[in-house]
Amino acid sequence: MTGPLRLRAPSGAHFVLASASPRRLDLLGRIGLKPDLVSPADIDETPKKGELPSAYAERVAWEKAHTVALAHPEAWVLAADTVVASGRRILPKAESETEARACLKHLSGRRHRVIGAIRLIGPGDHTRSRISETVVTFKRLTREEIETYIAAGEWDGKAGGYAIQGLAAIFIRFLSGSHSNVVGLDLYETRALLAGCGFRYGEGDA
């Protein structure tokens, strides 16, 4: 019996996901990639003064990948960062109801960008990166809609205070670009990045 296809690293090397995000782990599973190890990077993710959203996302993704790669020099390490941006403003990863409520009020009736940076580091300091941008427009939110969403708790730890894969999907009036990028990882760009580094499909455990 033919088993499920699994995306494998070249030369049998280990693959490490430098992220604690269950969403990224789930997304990788959709394309048949199962990390040998999940090792979140402990870095300071505070934006630098005047740092633009895309530059911030790329820097943080690189620092995550580089930090974990130092501990696993013979493995392929994938890291990513997702930023919700309104103009030049970087919206926070909501840590409180007050912060989430402020994000939703700001996004209400507006267009914003979700920027996803991906960084892959392999043996011998082999490094590749991709960046993805999705444009999202929210409907104008009522106070009741905002409070219902706050009560649901889906905002916790989410960039911009919302998760598109949950209740917030009903707020989306327009989306241009990768949906998976808004969830946490652009699968098209990730697959292209991995293929370019020699990752291939083969039979194995999913």
Side-chain angles (χ1 to χ4, degrees), residues 71-173:
H72 304 280
E74 301 305 315
W76 290 89
V77 177
L78 180 75
D81 192 63
T82 303
V83 173
V84 172
S86 177
R88 297 167 61 95
R89 177 180 175 183
I90 299 172
L91 272 65
K93 293 179 180 178
E95 302 294 341
S96 68
E97 290 187 0
T98 299
E99 204 166 36
R101 188 176 288 109
C103 285
L104 292 173
K105 287 181 178 179
H106 179 80
L107 294 173
S108 175
R110 291 183 176 178
R111 184 175 66 177
H112 63 276
R113 294 173 297 139
V114 179
I115 300 166
I118 310 163
R119 174 72 66 163
L120 181 67
I121 296 179
D125 292 328
H126 188 105
T127 181
R128 296 279 185 89
S129 66
R130 293 286 181 108
I131 192 159
S132 176
E133 183 172 307
T134 306
V135 175
V136 181
T137 303
F138 268 28
K139 68 182 288 292
R140 189 168 297 281
L141 304 179
T142 66
R143 179 179 297 180
E144 180 181 7
E145 286 173 326
I146 291 175
E147 293 308 317
T148 297
Y149 191 75
I150 295 297
E154 293 182 356
W155 53 267
D156 192 12
K158 305 298 193 301
Y162 76 94
I164 196 173
Q165 66 273 26
L167 183 62
I170 64 175
F171 301 156
I172 309 303
R173 186 167 62 82

Side-chain angles (χ1 to χ4, degrees), residues 17 19-30 64 82 93 154-159 162-166 180-187:
L17 175 61
S19 173
S21 169
R23 298 173 299 283
R24 292 193 180 113
L25 187 61
D26 175 69
L27 286 167
L28 288 175
R30 296 184 193 180
K64 288 177 180 178
T82 303
K93 293 179 180 178
E154 293 182 356
W155 53 267
D156 192 12
K158 305 298 193 301
Y162 76 94
I164 196 173
Q165 66 273 26
S180 63
N181 178 48
V182 185
V183 178
L185 189 67
D186 186 323
L187 290 181

Side-chain angles (χ1 to χ4, degrees), residues 175-205:
L175 185 147
S176 177
S178 168
H179 180 275
S180 63
N181 178 48
V182 185
V183 178
L185 189 67
D186 186 323
L187 290 181
Y188 173 82
E189 295 292 356
T190 299
R191 174 69 185 101
L193 191 66
L194 295 168
C197 291
F199 282 66
R200 296 291 182 266
Y201 282 103
E203 291 184 18
D205 296 330

